[in-house]
Amino acid sequence: MSTITVVKGLELYKNAVISILTKSLAEHSFYVFNEDDCEKMFQQNYPTDLVFIDAAAEINLKRTIKYYKSINARITLLVPQIDEEQILQLLKFDLDGYFCERMDVKEIAAAMKMVLKGHRYIHPYLASIMYKDYLRITNRKVVRPRGLLTKREWQILLEMAKGNTNDEIAQNLMISDKTVKNHVTAILRKLEVKDRTNAVLKAIKRGWVAF
């Protein structure tokens, strides 16, 4: 069993998210702090294995990260819907996990378990922003292996890399949700990965997508 600390903003909907999250990870113990409780959090020195920080909370983020690094906690950040330059600044903290507000609670719980096991996690949408910045700096061209995917599958993989859901992909490409699901299944099979997150990360790592 591990101890997880949550530092969150005051929005009411986040109380519901945290409530569901604690139930999904019932085998672990939780400390939950609102943004107004940070001084208490620093002073009481609560032990923690992983901290989940809401980047939208009105806190001194640098100080909070520095504190948890000093006690060797694994640090994860919930990134709000902000512009790409601000996201790149957050990525420079080089934390253990970067989550996206568009993730559902099950995804967040699964990502937390991954981080607790010593792995790093970055949501594909955030990874795509990081990779786009890398392409800009290096002026690297996208090279795709011939015959690996169809033209439509490459389009859908790019939409996945942007963090779009099946419904959003269907709307953007003007196809049915069922067609999107069939293409996603084919993409996972051809890339030999288990889920869409790993499909996107593989595409980004190998330079198969551009934005």
Side-chain angles (χ1 to χ4, degrees):
M1 182 183 75
S2 299
T3 302
I4 298 172
T5 296
V6 177
V7 183
K8 68 179 186 66
L10 297 176
E11 297 92 336
L12 290 177
Y13 83 92
K14 287 180 180 173
N15 292 333
V17 171
I18 300 306
S19 176
I20 298 170
L21 187 61
T22 55
K23 292 177 182 177
S24 300
L25 297 169
E27 68 273 25
H28 303 293
S29 58
F30 279 80
Y31 293 114
V32 179
F33 295 95
N34 290 320
E35 57 191 39
D36 296 336
D37 298 327
C38 280
E39 286 303 318
K40 176 183 176 183
M41 178 179 68
F42 295 138
Q43 293 171 5
Q44 296 296 326
N45 194 25
Y46 292 91
T48 189
D49 299 294
L50 182 148
V51 60
F52 177 61
I53 304 171
D54 176 9
E58 294 185 10
I59 60 173
N60 186 325
L61 186 59
K62 287 185 179 180
R63 181 188 177 193
T64 303
I65 290 173
K66 183 178 180 180
Y67 168 75
Y68 281 107
K69 283 188 174 182
S70 73
I71 63 172
N72 297 316
R74 294 184 175 91
I75 305 172
T76 62
L77 197 66
L78 179 64
V79 179
Q81 295 183 8
I82 52 180
D83 64 51
E84 292 187 4
E85 186 57 39
Q86 290 175 297
I87 290 173
L88 288 171
Q89 292 302 313
L90 293 177
L91 291 170
K92 288 180 181 179
F93 283 119
D94 191 26
L95 306 179
D96 299 284
Y98 285 92
F99 305 158
C100 184
E101 275 196 342
R102 64 183 68 190
M103 295 170 69
D104 61 34
V105 177
K106 288 184 179 179
E107 288 180 290
I108 293 174
M112 280 187 170
K113 289 178 181 179
M114 186 183 300
V115 174
L116 283 169
K117 290 179 180 178
H119 303 292
R120 290 200 172 198
Y121 177 88
I122 179 169
H123 187 271
Y125 171 68
L126 303 175
S128 71
I129 292 173
M130 183 168 61
Y131 183 66
K132 181 168 67 173
D133 187 59
Y134 167 73
L135 288 179
R136 179 186 62 78
I137 294 171
T138 62
N139 198 28
R140 181 179 172 183
K141 294 183 178 180
V142 172
V143 179
R144 292 171 176 166
R146 285 189 178 184
L148 179 61
L149 301 178
T150 66
K151 181 179 179 180
R152 179 62 85 187
E153 287 166 353
W154 283 119
Q155 291 175 330
I156 288 175
L157 183 57
L158 177 58
E159 290 288 325
M160 290 163 57
K162 293 177 180 178
N164 291 331
T165 64
N166 285 353
D167 287 340
E168 290 169 332
I169 295 172
Q171 291 176 12
N172 292 343
L173 300 182
M174 292 184 290
I175 56 179
S176 70
D177 181 64
K178 183 178 179 181
T179 300
V180 174
K181 289 178 181 177
N182 290 339
H183 281 306
V184 171
T185 299
I187 290 168
L188 300 186
R189 174 175 52 79
K190 292 178 180 180
L191 297 189
E192 299 180 340
V193 294
K194 294 182 179 180
D195 53 51
R196 59 197 298 146
T197 296
N198 282 296
V200 170
L201 292 178
K202 186 172 185 176
I204 290 172
K205 182 178 179 180
R206 304 204 176 179
W208 294 343
V209 292
F211 308 89

